[in-house]
Amino acid sequence: MSERGQVGLVLVSHSAQVAESVARLAQDLTPGGGHAPLAAAGGTPDGGVGTSAERVVAAAGEVDRGAGVVVLVDLGSAVLTVRSLLADEDELPPDTVIADAPFLEGAVSALVTASAGGDVDAVRAAAEEAYAYRKL
Amino acid sequence: MSDRNTEAKWDSNRARHWMAAAARAMTENEQRLTELDSAIGDADHGGNMRRGFQAVTSALDTAQDEGQLTGPGSVLTLAGRTLISKVGGASGPLYGTLLRRVGKTLGDEAEVDPAVLSEGLRAGVEGVVKLGGAAVGDKTMVDALQPAVDALESGFAAASQAALHGAEGTVPLRARKGRASYLGERSVGHQDPGATSAALLLGALAEVAGDE
């Protein structure tokens, strides 16, 4: 493990309440006291439903500890906004990646892994492996 | 329009005129876009496009006052970035990627030939296809954009006509991408709002291309 900080997580939802609630749930389900930096970027600045690139950029800056940032997204414009920001090298912190993962399950797995000191690849993989968890 | 006009080079002023014409078109058609979007989407497309392009023109005015617009590439790159940051729906990142990619293709030149702008548009539409994953026939903006770039060899007016035709051709299609795809068969019979706004953007380009 390097001397850099933990991997940061950003949860991007169309809804501020969804992003914040999923963040809270992931924190509640992460064992131990301290957890990796986590920020919710939900809804639009005027309180509406949608995706705000400015909120995503601010949230990524907030959780960046130099170890990379993993972004989880819900639907449609959240996915497209983050992917278009990633296409522009200087918008998001270095080593920011999008996880192709279910939003809630992925957030929980990612936060547990990041809090345990996993690197950005491990955190993204943990989020993406959440697809394999079958419910039936 | 004369050959001399359509062959005129594109500088930062001409690129700004394109964005201003697009903002006017989106404002004039806001209600129509919203009506189309209320049939198969979430009724925010008209407002998103009007607000987005108004934000573009005001960002361009500020950058112009500060002397930052050194060529058409810088104009369109800034326009794209503004759409990505200011529009809360999928149209922001999609149109933003389109314009930013055009801008990056034009680079730092003070002025470019129309052929270079055409090349930029092809790259921009490729970027949209890559970002959104839509193909022709999925009932999206790609149904207007792809025929438009395919017609660019015949000029911007031909591209604009092809975009209009492509947008009208979305009526019988069933949506396979975007919000409308959640509706399945119920999306049939409505013109796609994104294809419609894409035709407006190409129409604004043709207007400015023939205007000088």
Side-chain angles (χ1 to χ4, degrees), chain B residues 8-12 14-15 18 72 110-112 114 117 156 205 208-209:
Chain B
K9 286 184 181 279
W10 285 76
D11 59 10
S12 63
R14 211 171 182 203
W18 175 22
E111 54 179 32
V112 300
L117 181 57
F156 296 124
L205 174 68
V208 173

Side-chain angles (χ1 to χ4, degrees), chain A residues 16-124:
Chain A
Q17 289 91 338
V18 168
E20 284 156 17
S21 300
V22 171
R24 175 73 58 85
L25 178 61
Q27 287 168 0
D28 289 346
L29 294 177
T30 299
H35 57 75
L38 170 67
T44 57
D46 59 4
V49 169
T51 312
S52 161
E54 288 167 348
R55 285 194 167 183
V56 174
V57 170
E62 190 187 314
V63 300
D64 179 31
R65 303 286 185 273
V69 175
V70 174
V71 186
L72 285 111
V73 293
D74 64 357
L75 301 165
S77 67
V79 182
L80 296 178
T81 297
V82 175
R83 287 179 51 196
S84 61
L85 289 171
L86 286 172
D88 210 7
E89 301 84 23
D90 50 3
E91 293 280 359
L92 294 169
D95 293 326
T96 299
V97 298
I98 188 168
D100 181 3
F103 190 64
L104 192 156
E105 291 89 337
V108 174
S109 300
L111 187 63
V112 169
T113 305
S115 302
D119 66 12
V120 71
D121 290 336
V123 173
R124 173 161 68 172

Side-chain angles (χ1 to χ4, degrees), chain B residues 16 19-20 23 50-66 68-69 78-79 82 86:
Chain B
R16 285 173 61 214
M19 292 298 98
R50 175 183 54 75
R51 278 192 300 276
F53 275 90
Q54 283 175 350
V56 165
T57 53
S58 76
L60 289 174
D61 288 346
T62 305
Q64 173 73 9
D65 290 345
E66 293 171 357
Q68 292 167 3
L69 301 179
L78 176 61
T82 304
K86 297 294 180 194

Side-chain angles (χ1 to χ4, degrees), chain B residues 82-105:
Chain B
T82 304
L83 288 174
I84 292 170
S85 39
K86 297 294 180 194
V87 180
S91 52
L94 289 165
Y95 281 111
T97 293
L98 171 65
L99 293 178
R100 199 178 54 189
R101 190 68 73 88
V102 179
K104 294 207 163 167
T105 306

Side-chain angles (χ1 to χ4, degrees), chain B residues 10 112-120 122 156:
Chain B
W10 285 76
V112 300
D113 287 329
V116 177
L117 181 57
S118 294
E119 188 192 319
R122 289 188 192 96
F156 296 124

